[in-house]
Amino acid sequence: MRRVYVVAGAVALLIFGKFAVQPAKAEAAATPSPAAASACDRACLNGFVDQYMAAVAAHDPSKLPHSANARYTENNVEMKLGEGLWQTSDGWGSYKVYIDDPQTGQVGFLGVSNEDTHLSVFAARLKVVDKKVTEIEVIVARPDRPGPAGSGNLTGGPDNLKDKPLFSEDEPASERVSREKLIALADGYFSTIQQNTGKLFTTFDPDCQRMENGTVTANNPDPKAGAVQRMGCQAQLETGMLKMVTRCRDRRFVVDEQRQMVFAATFFDHNGTVRKNTLVDGTVRTIGAPFDRPYTFLIFELFKIKDGKIRQIEAVLNTVPYYMPSPWVKASK
Amino acid sequence: MRIRRRILGLAAVLIVAASAAQMARAQATNPPADYDPNFNYDCDRACLNGFLDQVIAAMAAHDSSSLPLARDVKYTENGQLLKIGDGFWATASGSPTYKIYADDPQAGQAMFMGVLPENGAPVILCVRLKVELHSITEIEAIVARKEAGSIARPENLVTPNPIFAETVPPAQRRSRQNMIAIANSYFNAIEKGHASFVPFDANCNRIESGVQTTNNTALAANPDSVLGMGCADQIKTRNFQPDTLIRDRRFAVIDEERGLVFVLGFFDHDATLRSFTLADGRTVKQTRTGPWTWEIAEMFKIQEGKIMRVEALVNTGIYGMKSGW
């Protein structure tokens, strides 16, 4: 497992390395500094997200400036621009979170999609090169998505997605941590879940809260929420309760240094063989449905970091067949 | 056909035959390392079914070590490439309770449809094998579980219809290509919404993932339901317009002796039809508004050139997903 994690990390590094050296043709000669290596700043990246949304709502890819060989995946299946949600969209909800990474020309996005009044929790990653979109990767967590009952089919839904000022706040320069540290915090979160020994490989803010598909699944203030959901992010993972997640695979990261946010793509594989789990405190738990069968979560997960600690987590996930590879990662094994 | 080398198991030399049947099985699954003109390299129905039984038993035993696997054997489960030992190989938990076999000795392929427990809960399983020179080169499994979005009702599958195991008299058989054309016409009819060219037998019936979806009056209480109708009449209603593309059809197993065609493929629904008009003029509103795909393994019983019965595994997939083949 460690080897796979290292390989995934290496893939991520290779990807970033590739992005980092892609020249911003118009400006590269005049402004060779690394900070200006991208031709598309925050406003530019956000503008492409907005153009993408307008083009989808219009069912017309030509309204989005894109390269001739632009790639599109929807729920981890590669298809042509113009297919899938492009054909069924009836616009968007008002919830919008942008995660801008001008250094790599990437932008992450959280929102709500609308198909004939059926709302879905939505997340996307776009890549922009030379002022054209070259990559579009989306997850549409539709209300009728398949999967084991009680797994990805959380009850919250898009109605619970309200603007969180945290996600649009710039962090003071003095309180920021480096790009590498931001990635390490998000990556460490996945390593903590994958290993599940109770040992933490990341750092949490005490107020850390996690939302998944519109349901608060850690630090939930609702007294009627389940006991696990009421626990904090750190307390949950210190129990070692997530052993049924047998692998957090193919991790990729988009990094917003200014807002101290990381937008991660990953898979949680559950191989269905972990039927008993001994927690850190010695308690033995029997693991039943929905973790008694092989299946995988396809995930986009946003981490907001404050002062070098994970303060807020927001995930969009869909159930996919066990061990489904990513069209964006060459070698999953 | 590519010739692939197999990994020799120690089992080959250790097997002690206790009966003629076991002797036959041992010979069928353990060919000599070097070419032997006296060895029977053909793999007939009993041989292919033996391979299927061994694979399913190995899944339930969580132990594939005794299987005659080719060195480059490929395994997919629900369309994903997995290592043998992963996925259902680690969660299957018992013997099959419902078994249908189709065998194609000419192509070296065979399929199984049945019900197995997975960690104690019954699931519907389809397995396709390809066997070359008595080595397994391809294993394709589809597992349909009871969960959100699934229509699987494995508990309904108790005893297979005996028609699937019946031999079709030679005079009533059709050629391989003719059998494929008959099965293919069924999919074309669903796409096009008219069934006049499909040679359905008047008593044709269909079971999908354990649910009888034709001539089922019990499920047809809703006047808009087509489930009470026969195979042809259902299609003629034009009820299947949301099935926009039946894709990647693979006619994997042609069992000429029993008149069976086993097909793998996908039913795509692009969800662009928000409502549609039936042949009788009624308008139906689509309840699903996002695109989705059904992953299917579908078997046709064909006798005297007519579709007698259809039995399918239908799994909810991701829109546009691929088979891995």
Side-chain angles (χ1 to χ4, degrees):
Chain A
M1 282 204 179
R2 183 75 191 163
R3 193 169 143 207
V4 169
Y5 154 60
V6 170
V7 169
V11 169
L13 287 172
L14 284 172
I15 290 169
F16 287 121
K18 184 183 169 199
F19 290 163
V21 297
Q22 277 170 347
K25 286 180 182 167
E27 299 171 14
T31 53
S33 70
S38 168
C40 195
D41 61 12
R42 305 182 68 85
C44 165
L45 289 167
N46 291 351
F48 275 105
V49 172
D50 294 340
Q51 286 183 82
Y52 158 76
M53 292 168 71
V56 168
H59 304 184
D60 184 359
S62 73
K63 293 190 185 306
L64 175 69
H66 62 271
S67 64
N69 57 353
R71 294 178 65 198
Y72 175 61
T73 63
E74 182 172 314
N75 294 338
N76 211 38
V77 172
E78 185 146 17
M79 56 186 82
K80 291 177 186 164
L81 283 184
E83 292 185 343
L85 182 66
W86 288 90
Q87 292 185 302
T88 53
S89 173
D90 286 298
W92 303 88
S94 58
Y95 185 71
K96 290 175 189 173
V97 179
Y98 301 84
I99 304 95
D100 296 300
D101 188 348
Q103 185 171 322
T104 65
Q106 295 187 94
V107 54
F109 176 74
L110 301 180
V112 172
S113 71
N114 177 355
E115 291 167 304
D116 200 15
T117 73
H118 291 214
L119 303 181
S120 302
V121 180
F122 176 90
R125 177 188 65 84
L126 268 61
K127 186 184 171 192
V128 178
V129 176
D130 294 339
K131 296 284 170 70
K132 287 181 179 169
V133 173
T134 59
E135 298 180 359
I136 307 173
E137 176 181 7
V138 311
I139 299 178
V140 193
R142 296 187 166 94
D144 55 6
R145 60 190 175 274
S151 57
N153 295 290
L154 300 160
T155 52
D159 292 344
N160 287 352
L161 296 175
K162 313 286 185 209
D163 284 339
K164 298 178 185 67
L166 268 174
F167 291 150
S168 52
E169 287 171 1
D170 288 352
E171 293 302 308
S174 61
E175 294 175 15
R176 292 182 198 170
V177 295
S178 69
R179 181 180 188 86
E180 292 71 26
K181 176 68 176 171
L182 289 168
I183 292 173
L185 286 163
D187 191 50
Y189 173 82
F190 297 130
S191 295
T192 303
I193 289 177
Q194 177 167 300
Q195 298 192 27
N196 258 292
T197 58
K199 183 181 175 186
L200 299 178
F201 296 92
T202 189
T203 310
F204 290 106
D205 185 290
D207 292 329
C208 170
Q209 187 183 59
R210 183 179 62 235
M211 186 176 255
E212 296 173 86
N213 282 357
T215 297
V216 179
T217 57
N219 206 3
N220 190 327
D222 183 351
K224 289 181 294 210
V228 171
Q229 294 186 350
R230 291 202 307 276
M231 295 171 76
C233 300
Q234 178 166 335
Q236 270 185 9
L237 299 190
E238 282 177 338
T239 64
M241 67 169 65
L242 296 179
K243 281 204 178 68
M244 65 290 270
V245 181
T246 45
R247 194 193 314 246
C248 302
R249 172 170 53 92
D250 293 342
R251 310 168 194 178
R252 293 171 291 135
F253 305 98
V254 172
V255 182
D256 188 330
E257 296 179 65
Q258 191 171 315
R259 292 189 174 166
Q260 295 280 282
M261 298 201 288
V262 181
F263 184 74
T266 188
F267 296 93
F268 281 16
D269 292 324
H270 314 85
N271 71 11
T273 64
V274 182
R275 311 307 311 285
K276 278 194 175 165
N277 182 14
T278 304
L279 302 184
V280 171
D281 68 4
T283 309
V284 178
R285 282 196 180 163
T286 300
I287 296 175
F291 300 107
D292 57 349
R293 69 204 73 187
Y295 74 96
T296 289
F297 283 144
L298 167 73
I299 300 175
F300 270 137
E301 193 143 14
L302 168 62
F303 299 87
K304 168 71 180 187
I305 315 291
K306 277 191 93 68
D307 221 1
K309 297 169 185 166
I310 297 177
R311 171 63 178 78
Q312 192 77 24
I313 305 171
E314 190 153 314
V316 176
L317 61 153
N318 253 354
T319 300
V320 297
Y322 176 64
Y323 217 77
M324 187 177 193
S326 169
W328 302 101
V329 176
K330 278 195 173 167
S332 279
K333 287 205 171 182
Chain B
M1 181 180 78
R2 283 181 297 157
I3 295 177
R4 306 178 190 197
R5 296 189 61 191
R6 59 176 284 278
I7 299 169
L8 263 181
L10 261 182
V13 279
L14 295 177
I15 282 176
V16 179
S19 68
Q22 279 182 327
M23 178 76 101
R25 174 71 54 79
Q27 188 191 42
T29 56
N30 296 284
D34 298 316
Y35 174 67
D36 177 354
N38 298 314
F39 182 78
N40 179 11
Y41 287 95
D42 293 334
C43 191
D44 61 10
R45 178 180 304 281
C47 166
L48 288 168
N49 288 347
F51 277 109
L52 280 169
D53 289 340
Q54 284 184 74
V55 166
I56 292 159
M59 286 173 159
H62 306 177
D63 180 5
S64 61
S65 61
S66 63
L67 291 177
L69 301 173
R71 185 185 301 178
D72 56 352
V73 61
K74 176 178 172 181
Y75 174 64
T76 64
E77 184 173 309
N78 292 351
Q80 312 309 314
L81 187 65
L82 294 187
K83 287 179 181 164
I84 287 177
D86 202 358
F88 194 65
W89 294 83
T91 53
S93 61
S95 302
T97 54
Y98 179 92
K99 301 192 273 190
I100 300 176
Y101 298 85
D103 299 290
D104 189 343
Q106 182 173 324
Q109 298 211 64
M111 284 202 68
F112 167 88
M113 184 186 284
V115 174
L116 248 75
E118 178 181 54
N119 285 326
V123 299
I124 305 173
L125 172 72
C126 261
V127 176
R128 177 186 66 81
L129 291 189
K130 184 163 188 183
V131 176
E132 296 173 84
L133 300 180
H134 289 237
S135 292
I136 300 170
T137 56
E138 298 179 1
I139 309 176
E140 178 176 9
I142 304 179
V143 186
R145 304 176 170 95
K146 290 184 77 167
E147 53 195 26
S150 164
I151 66 165
R153 294 293 177 269
E155 68 275 16
N156 290 352
L157 296 174
V158 179
T159 308
N161 192 299
I163 198 172
F164 294 119
E166 287 171 8
T167 299
V168 175
Q172 296 179 10
R173 295 178 192 170
R174 293 292 182 271
S175 72
R176 292 173 71 86
Q177 289 303 314
N178 200 288
M179 289 172 73
I180 291 171
I182 289 169
N184 195 45
S185 75
Y186 171 82
F187 298 122
N188 288 345
I190 290 177
E191 276 186 349
K192 292 175 180 172
H194 60 100
S196 57
F197 55 83
V198 184
F200 284 117
D201 183 85
N203 295 316
C204 168
N205 239 339
R206 184 181 62 228
I207 290 178
E208 294 175 291
S209 286
V211 180
Q212 187 178 322
T213 53
T214 51
N215 301 307
N216 190 334
T217 49
L219 289 180
N222 179 341
D224 288 338
S225 173
V226 298
L227 299 177
M229 298 179 178
C231 294
D233 288 345
Q234 258 185 11
I235 295 174
K236 289 174 185 168
T237 63
R238 307 208 72 234
N239 183 66
F240 296 115
Q241 290 176 63
D243 297 289
T244 42
L245 180 67
I246 301 176
R247 168 172 58 85
D248 296 344
R249 308 171 193 180
R250 284 178 293 139
F251 301 88
V253 172
I254 314 298
D255 188 331
E256 298 170 75
E257 195 176 292
R258 294 193 172 167
L260 303 176
V261 180
F262 221 133
V263 191
L264 295 145
F266 296 95
F267 281 38
D268 286 340
H269 311 79
D270 68 16
T272 55
L273 278 179
R274 292 285 156 81
S275 64
F276 53 93
T277 305
L278 297 176
D280 65 6
R282 284 181 297 148
T283 299
V284 175
K285 171 114 175 96
Q286 252 285 55
T287 52
R288 293 189 76 154
T289 60
W292 85 100
T293 285
W294 278 335
E295 178 185 32
I296 62 127
E298 194 142 14
M299 188 168 59
F300 299 84
K301 172 76 179 188
I302 297 166
Q303 196 155 351
E304 291 193 277
K306 291 186 173 168
I307 297 176
M308 314 296 290
R309 200 163 179 95
V310 184
E311 180 137 349
L313 177 156
V314 178
N315 226 4
T316 307
I318 305 170
Y319 181 65
M321 70 178 287
K322 306 294 189 292
S323 72
W325 296 95

XYZ file of all heavy atoms in Angstrom, chain A residues 74-75 77-79 87-88 90 115-116 118 142 144 146-148 153 271-273 275 292-294 320-325 333, chain B residues 78 80-83 86-87 90-91 118-119 145-148 270-272 274 285 287-291 316 318-322:
496
model
N -16.986 12.600 -17.044
C -18.130 12.807 -16.149
C -18.270 11.540 -15.312
O -18.425 10.442 -15.854
C -19.396 13.066 -16.977
C -20.635 13.332 -16.133
C -21.821 13.782 -16.986
O -21.650 14.665 -17.860
O -22.930 13.223 -16.806
N -18.169 11.692 -14.021
C -18.231 10.550 -13.103
C -17.243 9.453 -13.493
O -17.548 8.268 -13.483
C -19.662 10.008 -13.010
C -20.583 11.023 -12.365
O -20.130 11.915 -11.653
N -21.879 10.904 -12.622
N -15.938 8.686 -16.349
C -16.046 8.083 -17.677
C -15.723 9.160 -18.709
O -16.300 10.248 -18.681
C -17.452 7.510 -17.929
C -17.593 7.072 -19.383
C -17.734 6.346 -16.989
N -14.782 8.843 -19.599
C -14.422 9.817 -20.625
C -15.479 9.828 -21.712
O -15.941 8.776 -22.166
C -13.053 9.467 -21.220
C -12.562 10.506 -22.203
C -11.051 10.682 -22.168
O -10.350 9.807 -21.628
O -10.570 11.713 -22.688
N -15.893 11.012 -22.088
C -16.872 11.133 -23.173
C -16.593 12.424 -23.935
O -15.711 13.207 -23.566
C -18.297 11.074 -22.633
C -18.651 12.077 -21.570
S -20.318 11.792 -20.878
C -20.008 10.502 -19.687
N -25.966 17.622 -22.154
C -27.251 17.458 -22.852
C -28.445 17.627 -21.930
O -29.560 17.855 -22.383
C -27.320 16.054 -23.468
C -26.348 15.833 -24.608
C -26.556 14.474 -25.246
O -26.470 13.456 -24.583
N -26.826 14.456 -26.524
N -28.235 17.447 -20.629
C -29.376 17.366 -19.717
C -29.482 18.554 -18.772
O -30.456 18.668 -18.038
C -29.268 16.084 -18.869
O -27.981 16.054 -18.240
C -29.447 14.838 -19.728
N -30.135 21.933 -16.849
C -31.065 23.059 -16.825
C -30.498 24.168 -15.949
O -31.230 24.843 -15.226
C -32.429 22.603 -16.319
C -33.173 21.777 -17.356
O -33.469 22.316 -18.437
O -33.407 20.581 -17.102
N -30.941 19.322 -13.250
C -31.449 18.599 -14.428
C -32.948 18.427 -14.231
O -33.398 17.621 -13.421
C -30.755 17.231 -14.556
C -29.278 17.324 -14.930
C -28.550 16.000 -14.731
O -28.587 15.453 -13.600
O -27.944 15.497 -15.698
N -33.710 19.255 -14.904
C -35.173 19.180 -14.814
C -35.633 19.265 -13.349
O -36.452 18.458 -12.911
C -35.672 17.875 -15.457
C -37.149 17.959 -15.819
O -37.696 19.075 -15.846
O -37.750 16.891 -16.057
N -34.152 18.421 -10.743
C -33.443 17.490 -9.856
C -32.043 18.066 -9.608
O -31.247 18.175 -10.543
C -33.328 16.103 -10.485
C -34.634 15.379 -10.582
N -34.742 14.015 -10.440
C -35.902 15.820 -10.797
C -36.011 13.652 -10.570
N -36.730 14.733 -10.803
N -25.730 12.627 -8.482
C -27.167 12.748 -8.726
C -27.973 12.086 -7.611
O -27.507 11.122 -6.990
C -27.509 12.116 -10.083
C -26.846 12.845 -11.244
C -27.304 12.353 -12.609
N -26.894 13.275 -13.654
C -25.766 13.158 -14.375
N -24.954 12.147 -14.188
N -25.473 14.062 -15.298
N -30.325 10.060 -7.690
C -30.643 8.640 -7.912
C -29.384 7.831 -8.215
O -29.461 6.772 -8.815
C -31.653 8.483 -9.053
C -31.174 9.149 -10.336
O -30.018 9.628 -10.372
O -31.965 9.205 -11.299
N -26.440 5.237 -8.063
C -26.459 3.888 -7.513
C -25.434 3.729 -6.400
O -24.551 4.579 -6.233
C -26.079 3.020 -8.708
C -25.247 3.898 -9.566
C -25.780 5.288 -9.374
N -25.551 2.640 -5.665
C -24.559 2.334 -4.644
C -25.183 1.638 -3.462
O -26.405 1.627 -3.312
N -24.337 1.050 -2.618
C -24.866 0.382 -1.437
C -25.605 1.372 -0.546
O -25.129 2.484 -0.340
C -23.612 -0.144 -0.727
C -22.529 -0.103 -1.738
C -22.878 0.989 -2.689
N -24.927 7.396 -0.359
C -26.269 7.949 -0.484
C -26.675 8.675 0.795
O -27.612 8.307 1.480
C -27.249 6.847 -0.855
C -26.921 6.301 -2.223
O -27.113 6.980 -3.211
N -26.369 5.098 -2.270
N -12.420 -3.028 -0.177
C -12.359 -4.337 -0.840
C -13.355 -5.336 -0.261
O -13.495 -6.445 -0.777
C -10.927 -4.890 -0.878
C -10.412 -5.325 0.472
O -11.168 -5.412 1.445
N -9.128 -5.598 0.547
N -14.048 -4.954 0.795
C -15.133 -5.793 1.312
C -14.680 -6.926 2.206
O -15.499 -7.744 2.617
N -13.379 -6.985 2.507
C -12.898 -8.121 3.312
C -12.732 -7.777 4.794
O -12.538 -8.665 5.604
C -11.516 -8.614 2.806
O -10.567 -7.564 2.990
C -11.581 -9.009 1.347
N -14.055 -7.319 7.957
C -15.344 -7.608 8.588
C -15.332 -7.307 10.082
O -16.363 -7.243 10.715
C -15.736 -9.071 8.364
C -15.637 -9.556 6.928
C -16.406 -8.667 5.937
N -17.764 -8.375 6.368
C -18.759 -9.235 6.321
N -18.569 -10.438 5.844
N -19.956 -8.887 6.739
N -19.540 -4.647 3.241
C -19.365 -6.093 3.113
C -19.244 -6.507 1.657
O -19.428 -7.668 1.323
C -20.550 -6.811 3.767
C -21.874 -6.383 3.175
O -21.902 -5.388 2.414
O -22.893 -7.035 3.471
N -18.929 -5.586 0.786
C -18.810 -5.880 -0.646
C -17.763 -4.935 -1.230
O -17.530 -3.854 -0.681
C -20.150 -5.658 -1.336
C -20.544 -4.193 -1.382
C -22.023 -3.971 -1.516
N -22.710 -4.270 -0.277
C -24.023 -4.285 -0.129
N -24.800 -4.013 -1.138
N -24.581 -4.554 1.032
N -17.144 -5.302 -2.339
C -16.163 -4.402 -2.937
C -16.866 -3.235 -3.650
O -17.769 -3.463 -4.463
C -15.429 -5.286 -3.955
C -15.877 -6.690 -3.688
C -17.216 -6.592 -3.047
N -18.659 4.128 -7.469
C -18.292 3.588 -8.784
C -17.878 2.135 -8.586
O -17.640 1.704 -7.453
C -17.149 4.397 -9.451
C -17.573 5.827 -9.718
C -15.884 4.365 -8.604
N -17.787 1.350 -9.675
C -17.352 -0.035 -9.521
C -15.993 -0.129 -8.829
O -15.132 0.736 -9.025
C -17.272 -0.559 -10.961
C -18.231 0.295 -11.713
C -18.150 1.657 -11.075
N -15.828 -1.182 -8.063
C -14.602 -1.377 -7.290
C -13.361 -1.287 -8.183
O -13.287 -1.914 -9.219
C -14.643 -2.742 -6.603
C -13.384 -3.089 -5.849
C -12.980 -2.352 -4.751
C -12.580 -4.146 -6.253
C -11.821 -2.658 -4.064
C -11.418 -4.472 -5.571
C -11.037 -3.716 -4.483
O -9.883 -4.019 -3.806
N -12.439 -0.458 -7.727
C -11.119 -0.304 -8.345
C -11.165 0.339 -9.730
O -10.255 0.172 -10.537
C -10.374 -1.638 -8.412
C -8.887 -1.477 -8.170
C -8.400 -1.292 -6.884
C -7.987 -1.471 -9.217
C -7.056 -1.102 -6.661
C -6.635 -1.283 -8.998
C -6.177 -1.107 -7.727
O -4.844 -0.915 -7.507
N -12.197 1.082 -10.022
C -12.271 1.757 -11.311
C -11.076 2.708 -11.449
O -10.827 3.516 -10.561
C -13.577 2.539 -11.398
C -13.843 3.149 -12.746
S -15.451 3.981 -12.764
C -15.644 4.236 -14.532
N -10.333 2.614 -12.538
C -9.189 3.513 -12.693
C -9.634 4.906 -13.135
O -10.729 5.075 -13.674
C -8.365 2.833 -13.788
C -9.352 2.047 -14.571
C -10.467 1.657 -13.635
N -2.397 0.754 -11.086
C -1.908 -0.384 -10.299
C -0.417 -0.247 -10.075
O 0.281 0.275 -10.909
C -2.206 -1.696 -11.022
C -3.686 -2.023 -10.952
C -3.933 -3.504 -11.084
C -5.405 -3.793 -10.778
N -5.717 -5.194 -10.837
N -17.294 -6.198 -13.012
C -18.135 -5.020 -13.266
C -17.404 -3.987 -14.128
O -17.462 -2.781 -13.891
C -18.638 -4.414 -11.957
C -19.635 -5.337 -11.261
O -20.064 -6.341 -11.834
N -20.005 -5.022 -10.052
N -14.157 -3.517 -14.538
C -12.864 -2.986 -14.084
C -11.823 -4.104 -14.063
O -12.106 -5.223 -13.633
C -12.987 -2.376 -12.684
C -14.159 -1.441 -12.530
C -14.232 -0.388 -13.618
O -13.231 0.232 -13.963
N -15.422 -0.179 -14.172
N -10.634 -3.760 -14.476
C -9.530 -4.714 -14.457
C -9.064 -4.920 -13.018
O -8.679 -3.967 -12.347
C -8.381 -4.160 -15.308
C -7.196 -5.075 -15.545
C -7.593 -6.296 -16.368
C -6.089 -4.307 -16.259
N -9.116 -6.152 -12.553
C -8.677 -6.470 -11.187
C -7.690 -7.622 -11.234
O -7.672 -8.407 -12.180
C -9.854 -6.909 -10.306
C -10.957 -5.929 -9.955
C -11.904 -6.572 -8.940
C -10.415 -4.643 -9.400
N -6.926 -7.729 -10.161
C -6.098 -8.909 -10.001
C -6.980 -10.059 -9.522
O -7.905 -9.842 -8.719
C -5.003 -8.648 -8.973
C -3.914 -7.731 -9.466
C -2.881 -7.493 -8.393
C -1.815 -6.544 -8.924
N -0.995 -5.970 -7.879
N -8.688 -10.396 -5.901
C -9.292 -9.168 -5.398
C -10.794 -9.202 -5.723
O -11.283 -10.075 -6.443
C -8.609 -7.973 -6.081
C -8.751 -6.682 -5.279
O -9.408 -6.689 -4.228
O -8.189 -5.663 -5.721
N -11.539 -8.236 -5.223
C -12.952 -8.127 -5.551
C -13.743 -9.329 -5.063
O -13.580 -9.773 -3.928
N -12.524 -12.314 -3.090
C -12.270 -12.207 -1.649
C -13.552 -12.129 -0.836
O -13.509 -12.192 0.390
C -11.401 -10.976 -1.366
N -14.705 -11.969 -1.500
C -15.944 -11.770 -0.745
C -16.996 -12.849 -1.009
O -17.955 -12.957 -0.249
C -16.559 -10.383 -1.057
O -16.690 -10.246 -2.476
C -15.686 -9.263 -0.513
N -22.497 -13.526 -1.038
C -21.316 -12.682 -0.843
C -21.338 -12.203 0.601
O -22.236 -11.445 0.989
C -21.338 -11.490 -1.793
C -20.141 -10.561 -1.584
C -20.164 -9.358 -2.504
O -21.183 -8.632 -2.527
O -19.169 -9.148 -3.225
N -20.367 -12.640 1.376
C -20.414 -12.373 2.812
C -21.808 -12.671 3.361
O -22.350 -11.919 4.173
C -19.970 -10.938 3.109
C -18.465 -10.761 2.975
O -17.702 -11.678 3.273
N -18.024 -9.613 2.516
N -25.715 -6.670 -7.161
C -26.043 -6.708 -5.738
C -27.331 -5.946 -5.488
O -27.709 -5.066 -6.268
C -24.906 -6.069 -4.941
C -23.551 -6.714 -5.195
C -22.434 -5.988 -4.461
N -21.204 -6.751 -4.521
C -20.238 -6.569 -5.429
N -20.354 -5.639 -6.344
N -19.155 -7.311 -5.420
N -27.965 -6.264 -4.382
C -29.152 -5.500 -3.979
C -28.672 -4.208 -3.328
O -28.065 -4.236 -2.265
C -29.992 -6.296 -2.975
C -30.697 -7.485 -3.563
C -31.585 -8.161 -2.541
C -32.873 -7.394 -2.303
N -33.847 -8.217 -1.544
N -28.895 -3.103 -3.972
C -28.507 -1.817 -3.392
C -29.244 -0.713 -4.127
O -30.004 -0.984 -5.057
C -26.986 -1.630 -3.465
C -26.406 -1.829 -4.845
C -24.875 -2.012 -4.825
O -24.341 -2.463 -3.809
O -24.251 -1.676 -5.830
N -29.010 0.520 -3.703
C -29.718 1.644 -4.310
C -29.502 1.648 -5.818
O -28.379 1.475 -6.286
C -29.223 2.956 -3.701
N -29.429 8.598 -22.454
C -28.807 9.931 -22.363
C -29.694 10.923 -21.627
O -29.280 12.049 -21.360
C -28.369 10.433 -23.747
C -29.528 10.738 -24.684
O -30.681 10.872 -24.230
O -29.267 10.863 -25.904
N -30.921 10.525 -21.305
C -31.840 11.327 -20.492
C -32.218 12.655 -21.137
O -32.568 13.607 -20.442
C -31.276 11.550 -19.090
N -32.141 12.709 -22.436
C -32.554 13.948 -23.102
C -34.062 13.987 -23.332
O -34.620 15.042 -23.603
C -31.849 14.105 -24.466
O -32.103 12.935 -25.242
C -30.354 14.274 -24.289
N -37.407 14.174 -21.861
C -38.053 14.465 -20.576
C -39.439 13.815 -20.529
O -39.957 13.488 -19.482
C -38.157 15.977 -20.373
C -36.797 16.622 -20.169
C -36.283 16.316 -18.772
N -34.837 16.378 -18.656
C -34.122 17.490 -18.503
N -34.720 18.650 -18.479
N -32.829 17.431 -18.384
N -44.007 10.744 -18.640
C -42.948 11.628 -18.122
C -41.808 10.776 -17.615
O -42.001 9.792 -16.910
C -43.541 12.475 -16.986
C -42.540 13.274 -16.197
C -42.735 14.767 -16.396
C -41.804 15.581 -15.490
N -40.594 15.994 -16.168
N -38.905 9.795 -15.251
C -38.626 10.101 -13.850
C -37.142 10.362 -13.613
O -36.783 11.128 -12.737
C -39.084 8.950 -12.942
O -38.536 7.734 -13.430
C -40.597 8.854 -12.920
N -36.273 9.704 -14.400
C -34.846 9.950 -14.226
C -34.431 11.093 -15.138
O -34.729 11.081 -16.332
C -34.031 8.693 -14.550
C -34.277 7.576 -13.562
C -33.316 6.440 -13.772
N -32.000 6.759 -13.251
C -31.130 5.826 -12.855
N -31.429 4.562 -12.921
N -29.950 6.178 -12.387
N -33.716 12.059 -14.585
C -33.387 13.254 -15.359
C -31.912 13.357 -15.707
O -31.516 14.234 -16.454
C -33.793 14.514 -14.576
O -33.073 14.517 -13.335
C -35.283 14.523 -14.300
N -31.083 12.482 -15.134
C -29.660 12.466 -15.474
C -29.344 11.216 -16.261
O -30.033 10.201 -16.138
N -28.301 11.260 -17.091
C -27.975 10.100 -17.912
C -27.499 8.907 -17.070
O -26.859 9.097 -16.043
C -26.845 10.613 -18.807
C -26.278 11.789 -18.097
C -27.385 12.376 -17.284
N -26.904 -1.510 -12.650
C -26.828 -0.079 -12.902
C -25.369 0.324 -12.961
O -24.609 0.073 -12.031
C -27.523 0.714 -11.783
O -28.826 0.194 -11.627
C -27.596 2.183 -12.147
N -22.303 3.329 -14.606
C -22.088 4.762 -14.760
C -22.297 5.096 -16.221
O -21.852 4.352 -17.100
C -20.667 5.145 -14.331
C -20.427 4.658 -12.905
C -20.461 6.648 -14.409
C -18.987 4.791 -12.497
N -22.924 6.209 -16.500
C -23.238 6.553 -17.873
C -21.983 6.512 -18.757
O -20.985 7.159 -18.447
C -23.878 7.939 -17.955
C -24.237 8.330 -19.367
C -25.211 7.625 -20.066
C -23.594 9.369 -20.019
C -25.535 7.952 -21.367
C -23.910 9.713 -21.325
C -24.889 8.992 -21.989
O -25.213 9.310 -23.280
N -22.060 5.719 -19.792
C -20.963 5.658 -20.756
C -19.843 4.721 -20.385
O -18.852 4.623 -21.113
N -19.966 4.002 -19.257
C -18.852 3.164 -18.801
C -18.499 2.104 -19.837
O -19.322 1.706 -20.648
C -19.170 2.501 -17.461
C -20.222 1.419 -17.528
S -20.523 0.616 -15.922
C -19.042 -0.381 -15.723
N -17.260 1.642 -19.765
C -16.757 0.659 -20.718
C -16.669 -0.723 -20.068
O -16.691 -0.858 -18.853
C -15.377 1.079 -21.231
C -15.326 2.490 -21.820
C -16.167 2.591 -23.085
C -15.950 3.915 -23.811
N -16.475 5.083 -23.075
